């Protein structure tokens, strides 16, 4: 019987990456996760309200997401940037980003409750 993976493969957060970025400071991890969760709400709302700014806002979200190990959010934000730039599938890309953000926010809430 194979061993289970050390971390859930489908986890929306790479906690090892987060730990490296916060130098293993658990309190800082909590603070960064809370700030990111709040930022995602503001940025998604701004993208919906200000479609002309969505590319720049998606770029900002992509960088923040990479910094904390929310790589699915970063990838979805990059896809939205591409969709905006090319003019193809923007609504689908925005929907995928909102879904990725919702998933990471659930994971963050679970971490912050511990």
């Amino acid at each position: 019987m194979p061993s289970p993976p050390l971390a859930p493969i489908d986890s929306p957060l790479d906690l090892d990456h987060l730990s490296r970025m916060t130098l293993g400071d658990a309190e800082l991890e909590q603070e960064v996760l809370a700030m990111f969760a709040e930022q995602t709400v503001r940025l998604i709302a701004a993208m919906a309200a200000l479609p002309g700014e969505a590319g720049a806002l998606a770029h900002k979200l992509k960088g923040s997401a990479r910094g904390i190990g929310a790589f699915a959010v970063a990838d979805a934000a990059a896809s939205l940037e591409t969709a905006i730039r090319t003019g193809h599938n923007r609504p689908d890309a925005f929907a995928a980003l909102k879904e990725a953000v919702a998933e990471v926010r659930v994971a963050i809430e679970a971490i912050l409750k511990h």
Side-chain angles (χ1 to χ4, degrees), residues 17-36:
H17 179 81
L18 176 62
S19 181
R20 284 191 303 277
M21 296 304 286
T22 57
L23 304 174
D25 183 332
E27 190 173 309
L28 180 58
E29 285 179 20
Q30 301 270 317
E31 186 176 334
V32 167
L33 288 174
M35 288 175 19
F36 180 75

Side-chain angles (χ1 to χ4, degrees), residues 13-84:
L13 279 171
D14 181 336
L15 297 178
D16 290 335
H17 179 81
L18 176 62
S19 181
R20 284 191 303 277
M21 296 304 286
T22 57
L23 304 174
D25 183 332
E27 190 173 309
L28 180 58
E29 285 179 20
Q30 301 270 317
E31 186 176 334
V32 167
L33 288 174
M35 288 175 19
F36 180 75
E38 291 172 17
Q39 179 190 41
T40 61
V41 171
R42 288 193 311 272
L43 290 176
I44 292 293
M47 285 180 218
L50 305 166
E53 300 293 317
L57 296 168
H59 186 77
K60 182 176 186 173
L61 181 54
K62 177 178 70 176
S64 296
R66 285 183 177 158
I68 69 155
F71 296 117
V73 172
D75 291 346
S79 293
L80 178 57
E81 281 185 288
T82 300
I84 291 168

